[in-house]
Amino acid sequence: MLKYLMAKNEDIPSGSAAVYFGFSAITWFVIGTGLGAFNAAKLAFPDFVTGLEFLSFGHMRQVHVHAVIFGWISQAFAMAMMYITPALGNTKLWSEKLGIWNVILWNIGLSLGLTVLWFGMTSGREYSDFPWFIDLYIATFIFIPLGINVWMTIINRRTQGIYTTNWFFAAATFMVIIVFIVGNLPEFFHLTGLTEAYLTWWFAHNVLGLWITPVAAAIAYYTIPKVTGNPLYSHRIGHLHFWSVVVFYSTPAAHHLMSAPLPEWLKSFASVEGVLILVPAIAFVSNILLTMQGKWNMFVENLEVRFTVTGCLMAIPLNMQGGFQQTRAINWYIHGTGWIVAHAHLALLGFSTFLEVAAVYLGLQTILKRKLYSLTLGNIHFWLLLIGFTTYWVSMTIAGLIQGAGKIYEVPYIDVVIAEHPYMIARWIGGSLVFTGNCFWLYNMWMTARTGTVIPEGRMPHELAYER
Amino acid sequence: MNFREYKIGSRFFALALGGSMTITLLMPSFDINHVNATEVAMDKQLWAGAESGFNLDDPFLLGWHKPLKVLLKADPKTGQPMEPTYAYVYEKGTTLPGGILHPDNLGGIAKQLSLEKGRIKEADKNVGAVFLVKADEQKRYYIENATATMGWTPEAVEKTAGDANTLHAAAGKTLFVREGCWWCHTLLPEQTQDWQVFGAPPMLGDFNGESPTAFGSDRKAPDLLHVGSRNASKEWMMLHFFNPRLVQPHSIMPRFDYLWGPVDANGKKIDFPKWRAEYNEYREGKRVTPPEVPMYARNSEIRNLIDFVLTLK
Ligand code: HEM
Ligand code: HEM
């Protein structure tokens, strides 16, 4: 890999950047879920590993969150962009070399950032916990180069139109850069008080809404038509999805602060806009599920389709939950409880992760031209992820409802802690299943690269029968 | 971009995103700008200092260059006894808080009084300053720069107050951020409930000048905004931080014994492994009483943290 850093762009095999991003993302996924399971264990058993500052919950929690968001999710996105954008433009990636530099600089910056967070050097602002020098690094050396590669590939495409997926990629890379720069203004210019609090959540909300959600959806717009061979059900609905994401999803940041003394009009506005996010959500889910028409057998038979469709199906409860939990009538009950943690994992570990996993499976097999090493391991991975996640989600949702009841009746807090304990243990078990599944996945992809059956030119991985 | 549609599309995209940012950033900023600092906000920004998260004055969040909150019982200049008063000491080199650097942040009458009566613009980071929160006859609060109005120097104020009356609350808030207390404890009682147990929710102007606000979003433990009013016992805090299960067997809070540092108040080395072993015996029922929690040293981190918690009134 290092030899490509100085090589001429033409000499770098196409797809290299995507492969490196792919493996790097899987590795971060293993690390991130390992940390998640560790944190879950700490919440279930407070005396598990004690007395060491750097292994305490308060130091590890943000490392987990940032490892999964900027390591796993965002690198899997980059991986998808590196192979899907050129494929849809019928061309090559604008610069493989930039892509490779991007992987390296990304991993250096992220490792540095996580170390710094781990040592407790934090801005103290949720989701923008990184100190400002890391934020600047991320914008300059991670997202801007990624964006340039995507935009230039699209501009140099050899097709006439631009396919849905690529609108999303181009727009989301642009938006995430804006969000990073604007959302961190409190750190760059030392803004304080409510401005600081509100911008913190403006950042958090928009990283989710203008980066994670649209890119994950865009990936599904590629994988499902590509693997099933069906054309996308409707381009128009794709348009509706795109524009409603930009218009509705960028506005309800204040719904994260419904109980803070923000201007009331802002909270009401956010509440209404939040319900309108159901427009892109329904557009997306219906478009993908209708594209499946006539190919539902692949939901059972094909791993990538199964992951993607499961992810899409999870988008339904996710967005229903989102839409109603942020109305004032509901939010006071579940705000700040385990319900929100369950919602966050339904979004990131459920919905978006399942879509990305499919893209990484598909991409690595296609670029390496090797069929998946072991379908059994792939299936085990799927079920461990699904069962682990479901355990997590169900247990935290119940815990959240208990907490909510305790909250509104002002039950002594310790009774809430006692009541939640079994669910904390269940969450830890669920998390450990996810982590185990990911270890299998890493092994499986590694073996695929080494010994997977070679796929002949012009064939899709799933068209080949298994030899093993 | 070849197609006219894409040109139009890009413009609409800019319009949509720009419009969204106008509504969600620009418009609220007008409202929030007009929020005047309350007395709480003045007190809070003066004791917490300019920034409790990462900043160049304190890059490792070790509590460098932080102000002190002291209780004065005598006039630091004359030594005459006086009505006990809280003063905020900014030693030379400590960055001044937002409201002093940008009086607009205080807003309205507080800004005017602080500038005219309080002479806050004369405060200088390179010299150091002492501040007070005062009220005029009409109960309008403002900040006074006591260094300018009365000639109180940071050194004299610290000496007069003495260590026992000095609160390292700002360094403590840094620890609150660094140790991630806010991942479980919120600093925001909710408007719809929480009044009885956790106390009144904050008012609109209570945060001016504070950074980070660290509201917290995933509550797994009691709200702490007014904890100092509920429980002001240093001894309880000490036991609780060393091992929360000493005072609350069902607590899931981590132990913060490492904040004691290597030695106790008498300079004796703390034997953590021995303590843990004895505690385990106690837990298994082999001991009647838990081991003694060592008294913390004056300059230990735990002292700062306890000072901070007790400042949250
Ligand atoms: C209709 C769509 C959605 C709406 C209206 C919505 C609304 C909300 C609200 C109101 C909260 C904060 C609740 C509280 O703290 O009281 C929240 C939290 C969260 N949402 Fe959503 N959500 C939606 C979909 C999504 C999606 C698609 C994602 C990501 C892919 C997502 C990720 C998250 C995360 C990670 C949090 C946790 C934030 C925290 O740390 O507190 N949500 N959502
Ligand atoms: C092995 C699986 C996982 C486990 C056991 C796990 C566990 C945890 C725990 C214990 C927390 C702290 C919750 C709290 O403070 O109450 C947390 C927070 C979080 N995790 Fe995970 N996690 C896992 C996987 C993931 C994945 C794959 C993602 C994203 C792709 C993710 C994203 C997040 C986010 C965004 C938060 C912050 C939630 C919030 O503030 O509401 N986690 N996780």
Side-chain angles (χ1 to χ4, degrees):
Chain A
M1 166 176 204
L2 293 175
K3 69 175 188 266
Y4 291 141
L5 286 179
M6 294 303 155
K8 282 213 208 82
N9 194 27
E10 304 81 73
D11 297 342
I12 306 178
S14 72
S16 307
V19 172
Y20 291 128
F21 262 124
F23 276 100
S24 166
I26 301 177
T27 311
W28 281 114
F29 197 16
V30 173
I31 298 174
T33 47
L35 289 168
F38 181 79
N39 288 348
K42 297 213 99 175
L43 289 178
F45 313 107
D47 282 332
F48 165 72
V49 188
T50 191
L52 289 164
E53 173 163 5
F54 295 116
L55 296 180
S56 68
F57 179 76
H59 280 260
M60 300 291 271
R61 185 195 188 276
Q62 58 274 46
V63 182
H64 158 66
V65 172
H66 288 77
V68 287
I69 293 184
F70 296 108
W72 159 240
I73 296 201
S74 300
Q75 285 197 355
F77 283 171
M79 181 287 170
M81 290 176 182
M82 296 284 143
Y83 83 91
I84 294 177
T85 316
L88 289 172
N90 198 9
T91 178
K92 284 187 171 179
L93 186 65
W94 181 65
S95 167
E96 283 291 338
K97 191 168 168 179
L98 181 62
I100 295 206
W101 274 96
N102 204 185
V103 189
I104 302 239
L105 289 177
W106 195 319
N107 282 310
I108 293 176
L110 185 63
S111 310
L112 180 72
L114 293 180
T115 312
V116 159
L117 273 191
W118 187 29
F119 278 85
M121 291 164 65
T122 160
S123 66
R125 303 170 60 236
E126 191 168 357
Y127 292 104
S128 35
D129 309 61
F130 284 132
W132 53 259
F133 63 94
I134 301 283
D135 295 328
L136 283 178
Y137 183 101
I138 293 180
T140 328
F141 296 110
I142 293 183
F143 286 131
I144 293 180
L146 177 67
I148 291 177
N149 230 345
V150 170
W151 304 326
M152 292 309 288
T153 307
I154 293 178
I155 289 173
N156 293 322
R157 72 190 180 280
R158 292 191 297 180
T159 53
Q160 269 198 325
I162 305 176
Y163 179 66
T164 322
T165 300
N166 275 353
W167 316 327
F168 275 102
F169 282 174
T173 39
F174 176 74
M175 292 190 290
V176 75
I177 295 169
I178 302 282
V179 169
F180 243 85
I181 294 170
V182 177
N184 282 304
L185 286 180
E187 285 172 59
F188 303 147
F189 297 110
H190 195 73
L191 308 180
T192 59
L194 279 181
T195 318
E196 183 263 356
Y198 179 56
L199 272 169
T200 299
W201 285 102
W202 188 86
F203 173 89
H205 176 83
N206 287 327
V207 164
L208 299 168
L210 302 181
W211 172 241
I212 298 181
T213 313
V215 181
I219 288 176
Y221 279 135
Y222 174 78
T223 37
I224 290 293
K226 181 78 186 172
V227 178
T228 61
N230 281 350
L232 183 64
Y233 175 73
S234 160
H235 257 66
R236 290 243 158 125
I237 299 182
H239 272 280
L240 177 66
H241 178 194
F242 179 85
W243 289 105
S244 54
V245 162
V246 179
V247 175
F248 299 142
Y249 222 137
S250 60
T251 43
H255 68 197
H256 291 267
L257 285 171
M258 293 299 270
S259 57
L262 282 180
E264 289 298 319
W265 69 264
L266 187 60
K267 290 197 249 176
S268 302
F269 174 73
S271 248
V272 175
E273 294 287 302
V275 176
L276 289 174
I277 304 181
L278 283 170
V279 175
I282 295 170
F284 163 65
V285 175
S286 52
N287 214 356
I288 294 296
L289 296 185
L290 288 169
T291 305
M292 285 293 292
Q293 275 172 347
K295 291 289 168 70
W296 278 98
N297 60 321
M298 293 188 93
F299 178 44
V300 182
E301 290 159 8
N302 181 285
L303 195 59
E304 289 85 29
V305 173
R306 196 186 317 146
F307 265 111
T308 314
V309 172
T310 312
C312 282
L313 292 175
M314 288 195 211
I316 302 173
L318 166 66
N319 290 287
M320 297 305 284
Q321 200 180 34
F324 90 98
Q325 80 188 14
Q326 45 104 56
T327 59
R328 289 180 196 240
I330 308 283
N331 191 264
W332 70 296
Y333 196 86
I334 44 88
H335 170 70
T337 67
W339 174 285
I340 304 301
V341 178
H343 170 78
H345 286 81
L346 178 58
L348 302 181
L349 172 58
F351 159 70
S352 95
T353 288
F354 274 67
L355 301 181
E356 287 144 35
V357 168
V360 175
Y361 267 116
L362 179 65
L364 284 181
Q365 293 182 69
T366 321
I367 304 162
L368 296 167
K369 296 207 170 51
R370 284 186 184 269
K371 193 172 168 66
L372 191 63
Y373 169 69
S374 160
L375 182 63
T376 314
L377 280 180
N379 283 332
I380 292 180
H381 180 219
F382 175 82
W383 287 107
L384 284 177
L385 239 59
L386 187 62
I387 296 171
F389 157 73
T390 311
T391 314
Y392 188 128
W393 187 76
V394 171
S395 59
M396 286 321 284
T397 301
I398 300 177
L401 290 173
I402 297 176
Q403 239 177 316
K407 183 169 84 163
I408 63 166
Y409 295 115
E410 306 203 26
V411 171
Y413 207 89
I414 195 63
D415 293 334
V416 175
V417 173
I418 296 169
E420 273 188 305
H421 189 229
Y423 305 100
M424 293 286 179
I425 299 178
R427 183 241 305 259
W428 166 66
I429 295 172
S432 307
L433 294 181
V434 173
F435 171 64
T436 317
N438 286 337
C439 295
F440 285 132
W441 189 28
L442 184 58
Y443 172 75
N444 201 6
M445 290 328 280
W446 183 253
M447 293 306 286
T448 303
R450 305 244 128 180
T451 62
T453 312
V454 176
I455 302 172
E457 197 62 49
R459 289 270 150 209
M460 295 282 292
H462 67 267
E463 292 168 351
L464 259 65
Y466 262 94
E467 294 169 351
R468 213 170 271 108
Chain B
M1 282 281 164
N2 312 348
F3 286 122
R4 202 167 61 94
E5 284 82 346
Y6 291 141
K7 289 214 181 81
I8 299 174
S10 318
R11 282 177 203 155
F12 266 104
F13 175 70
L15 191 71
L17 197 63
S20 150
M21 287 171 67
T22 307
I23 300 177
T24 60
L25 291 175
L26 194 63
M27 284 166 50
S29 79
F30 294 141
D31 269 0
I32 295 177
N33 250 331
H34 284 102
V35 173
N36 296 341
T38 58
E39 179 210 357
V40 175
M42 293 180 208
D43 172 57
K44 212 177 339 177
Q45 61 174 291
L46 286 173
W47 66 249
E51 171 67 53
S52 313
F54 171 84
N55 66 96
L56 293 178
D57 285 344
D58 183 17
F60 305 108
L61 277 77
L62 294 172
W64 297 346
H65 301 291
K66 296 288 169 188
L68 303 168
K69 181 173 179 175
V70 303
L71 183 63
L72 280 176
K73 293 176 183 156
D75 187 305
K77 257 195 121 173
T78 59
Q80 292 298 318
M82 65 176 203
E83 190 69 358
T85 312
Y86 279 112
Y88 310 84
V89 183
Y90 282 69
E91 285 171 11
K92 192 172 137 190
T94 307
T95 305
L96 302 171
I100 307 288
L101 294 177
H102 314 284
D104 281 340
N105 212 321
L106 299 171
I109 198 75
K111 170 185 167 191
Q112 194 196 333
L113 290 177
S114 305
L115 284 173
E116 288 166 9
K117 283 188 146 181
R119 293 165 66 184
I120 55 171
K121 263 292 150 219
E122 292 167 40
D124 184 356
K125 175 180 171 180
N126 300 319
V127 180
V130 177
F131 299 100
L132 305 170
V133 175
K134 284 254 178 111
D136 70 0
E137 317 76 49
Q138 298 167 46
K139 278 257 169 211
R140 296 180 301 188
Y141 288 94
Y142 64 95
I143 298 178
E144 176 171 323
N145 172 8
T147 311
T149 56
M150 294 184 283
W152 294 3
T153 61
E155 298 73 32
V157 172
E158 275 177 48
K159 205 160 140 251
T160 314
D163 189 55
N165 288 321
T166 301
L167 292 166
H168 293 258
K173 178 161 183 204
T174 302
L175 278 170
F176 188 80
V177 171
R178 185 186 88 190
E179 294 302 324
C181 312
W182 55 289
W183 293 121
C184 296
H185 295 280
T186 45
L187 288 180
L188 184 73
E190 294 174 23
Q191 290 171 347
T192 35
Q193 65 277 324
D194 286 353
W195 293 70
Q196 283 184 39
V197 182
F198 299 139
M203 308 292 280
L204 193 54
D206 282 358
F207 305 106
N208 288 24
E210 186 184 2
S211 174
T213 39
F215 290 157
S217 73
D218 297 316
R219 193 191 277 171
K220 299 179 265 304
D223 189 275
L224 296 183
L225 192 67
H226 305 296
V227 63
S229 312
R230 293 199 294 274
N231 181 349
S233 159
K234 264 192 192 171
E235 287 67 34
W236 191 92
M237 292 296 165
M238 185 171 114
L239 297 184
H240 185 246
F241 282 124
F242 202 80
N243 184 340
R245 274 142 315 273
L246 287 175
V247 288
Q248 176 44 268
H250 298 291
S251 173
I252 56 165
M253 181 163 141
R255 304 182 195 180
F256 288 96
D257 46 5
Y258 53 81
L259 295 180
W260 260 249
V263 294
D264 67 8
N266 304 320
K268 225 180 86 213
K269 207 168 149 17
I270 305 177
D271 192 349
F272 289 104
K274 176 155 167 272
W275 197 95
R276 290 186 193 125
E278 291 181 359
Y279 174 75
N280 285 341
E281 285 173 17
Y282 163 71
R283 203 162 50 168
E284 289 155 16
K286 293 188 202 141
R287 271 176 73 116
V288 185
T289 52
E292 215 38 54
V293 171
M295 180 65 205
Y296 51 85
R298 272 181 52 228
N299 56 359
S300 59
E301 292 195 308
I302 191 63
R303 185 233 171 127
N304 303 344
L305 190 60
I306 292 181
D307 282 354
F308 163 74
V309 169
L310 296 181
T311 306
L312 294 171
K313 290 287 185 196

